[in-house]
Amino acid sequence: MRHGLEVRPDRSGAEQPAPRIATLDVLRGAAVMGILAMNVVGFGLPFQAYMNPAALGPPDAVDTASWSLSFVLFDGKMRGLFSFLFGASALLVIERAEAAGLKGASVHFRRMAWLLFFGLVHFYLIWSGDILISYALIGMAAFMFRSRPPEKLVALGLAFLSIQLLLIGAMSASVYMLAQAAAAPGAEADLVRQWLAMEREFGILSPAQTAQEIALYQASYPEIVRHRLVEDGAQPLTGLLLFGWETLAYMLFGMAGLKSGFLTGDWKDRTYRRVAWVGFGIGIPAYAALAWAYAASGFDTALTFALVMAATTPLRPPMIAATAALVILLARRAGPLHDRIAATGRVAFSNYLGTSILMTVLFYGYGLGLFGTLGRAELWLVVIATWALMLAWSTPWLDRFEYGPLEWLWRSLARWRVQPLRKSQPA
């Protein structure tokens, strides 16, 4: 039995809640909180500001420092850690289902199918920054690798990551060549139009364009949904094609991390310290150099792909591993905060979707309408307040219930049977 797991059905045949792996919960809690530190820019400002800190105009020193901190420590790392944990959790669910005498494939693919449904609802009806659609589809593909040993999973992950790097590198080169061609004397009108469209998506907006973007999300709920359906309807597919290889690599790294004991906290302290020192030693100076080069260029649009997307692709995995190692080391000093973060991780699905609902009500026109009114640094106040809310509600909820509300719904739908929710003896 892998990971020392054994799950027994009760007399009715209902699967009982499996023992938790506390380290995974703490890591998941840290990841879902960290994701908000980046996503808040996508909630509160036009998308262009997420990619380019100068999109809405030259940032002041405070906003530049805020972007630099997020870029070096959070950008891609929290999403990557969440992807690691998704792969590990998917494998864990498969193994536990098989240990309970169920068909692992049936359980897994039903879970992914319902996750795809949740993702589509999330994207089209709540927020366009969804990751669940790609997780569901790529999670289905990851199933075929579940039986590989850790070293093979790592090798496959590196291969898929290389494909991602080649893809983004080619895009970066084409964007750079387009910028050069459009700026050349006598450039063809079509090339100029293509470059202006690229600038509109990833570069510095004019005041009129900024006002148009803000007005869109200050509009009513039906208008915002119509825009997603008509203008951004294909975005989940393009996102999958552009970043799917990296996500699959991360899921395989997560499976390897589960099988090897890295993500479950089974390694020795000195090994985790070594992983943290090496990962941060590689990643932090490199990310800082990229941030400096990008800022020194005036946040040039052509460099957005090269520096922010392509050059960071090989740097993220060591940073993600280092972040996981650091969280695991800190989690060994158990205390009230440790337990709160673990509870936040146990209801990560509810926290992720709940955050989207809360943030869109806070920022969009059908709520408080704060979209475009807060600067990048000011958005940290929203992040900290939301972190406090996550930590505040998760523990008392789990004192009374077996699962988070959306975890319970997902579990019941995937098993075609209502799962027990309320605990017989509240903590």
Side-chain angles (χ1 to χ4, degrees):
M1 188 70 62
R2 277 173 272 184
H3 320 305
L5 302 177
E6 185 175 6
V7 182
R8 297 186 180 90
D10 64 14
R11 292 180 180 178
S12 68
E15 184 184 339
Q16 297 303 295
R20 306 293 306 189
I21 299 177
T23 302
L24 289 180
D25 289 333
V26 173
L27 286 168
R28 197 177 293 111
V32 76
M33 292 172 68
I35 283 174
L36 178 60
M38 289 305 303
N39 281 354
V40 71
V41 178
F43 285 118
L45 295 171
F47 165 78
Q48 292 85 347
Y50 185 95
M51 296 295 298
N52 190 329
L56 308 183
D60 59 24
V62 175
D63 279 348
T64 299
S66 176
W67 170 80
S68 300
L69 176 68
S70 298
F71 178 70
V72 173
L73 297 182
F74 291 96
D75 188 19
K77 293 82 170 175
M78 298 299 108
R79 172 180 56 82
L81 180 57
F82 210 53
S83 302
F84 274 41
L85 294 165
F86 187 89
S89 297
L91 177 60
L92 197 59
V93 168
I94 294 168
E95 292 182 350
R96 284 177 165 172
E98 292 173 346
L102 304 174
K103 292 182 179 180
S106 298
V107 170
H108 175 74
F109 283 98
R110 283 202 304 269
R111 289 182 79 245
M112 295 301 103
W114 281 111
L115 186 65
L116 177 60
F117 169 77
F118 284 121
L120 291 170
V121 171
H122 183 219
F123 178 87
Y124 289 108
L125 300 183
I126 301 175
W127 186 52
S128 58
D130 173 75
I131 60 173
L132 302 179
I133 295 173
S134 64
Y135 274 22
L137 295 173
I138 295 168
M140 293 179 186
F143 179 82
M144 70 180 72
F145 304 105
R146 70 195 183 284
S147 300
R148 302 294 178 91
E151 60 273 11
K152 288 291 182 65
L153 289 168
V154 171
L156 285 166
L158 291 173
F160 292 137
L161 203 64
S162 299
I163 296 174
Q164 180 72 49
L165 180 58
L166 290 173
L167 177 62
I168 297 298
M171 287 181 58
S172 300
S174 64
V175 169
Y176 182 79
M177 288 187 291
L178 176 61
Q180 296 298 308
E188 295 180 7
D190 185 55
L191 290 175
V192 174
R193 281 195 297 270
Q194 291 180 44
W195 177 246
L196 291 176
M198 185 67 66
E199 282 272 21
R200 175 65 188 263
E201 289 296 318
F202 301 102
I204 299 173
L205 300 176
S206 68
Q209 290 170 334
T210 300
Q212 183 180 356
E213 290 289 327
I214 292 175
L216 170 63
Y217 291 100
Q218 291 280 11
S220 66
Y221 180 74
E223 290 175 290
I224 294 174
V225 171
R226 187 203 66 80
H227 178 82
R228 290 197 198 107
L229 291 169
V230 176
E231 304 295 333
D232 297 334
Q235 185 175 309
L237 178 59
T238 56
L240 181 69
L241 295 174
L242 286 177
F243 302 107
W245 296 106
E246 182 180 48
T247 303
L248 178 56
Y250 289 169
M251 288 185 186
L252 299 190
F253 290 154
M255 289 182 176
L258 181 73
K259 291 188 176 189
S260 67
F262 173 72
L263 290 177
T264 56
D266 293 342
W267 292 12
K268 295 180 179 180
D269 280 8
R270 66 173 180 270
T271 308
Y272 285 114
R273 283 195 294 268
R274 188 179 303 118
V275 171
W277 277 109
V278 172
F280 288 135
I282 294 171
I284 290 179
Y287 265 93
L290 292 175
W292 177 86
Y294 191 34
S297 74
F299 301 105
D300 180 69
T301 304
L303 290 178
T304 301
F305 279 86
L307 297 182
V308 178
M309 298 176 68
T312 57
T313 299
L315 298 175
R316 275 192 290 271
M319 283 286 283
I320 296 166
T323 302
L326 179 60
V327 171
I328 291 169
L329 287 170
L330 294 176
R332 291 182 171 176
R333 301 178 180 180
L337 183 59
H338 165 280
D339 296 340
R340 293 271 176 177
I341 295 175
T344 300
R346 287 182 60 185
V347 292
F349 187 34
S350 296
N351 274 316
Y352 174 72
L353 284 180
T355 297
S356 291
I357 295 171
L358 176 62
M359 293 295 104
T360 51
V361 169
L362 180 65
F363 288 107
Y364 287 1
Y366 53 83
L368 297 183
L370 296 180
F371 188 86
T373 65
L374 300 180
R376 189 179 294 268
E378 292 172 314
L379 290 173
W380 274 102
L381 298 176
V382 177
V383 171
I384 293 170
T386 308
W387 283 352
L389 181 61
M390 288 182 183
L391 295 172
W393 86 272
S394 301
T395 297
W397 177 276
L398 289 172
D399 285 343
R400 295 166 176 79
F401 302 100
E402 295 287 356
Y403 314 103
L406 289 178
E407 284 79 4
W408 170 81
L409 178 60
W410 185 19
R411 190 182 185 91
S412 297
L413 289 170
R415 286 159 176 75
W416 295 115
R417 181 172 57 243
V418 175
Q419 300 293 299
L421 178 60
R422 185 177 293 275
K423 288 183 176 179
S424 57
Q425 294 181 341

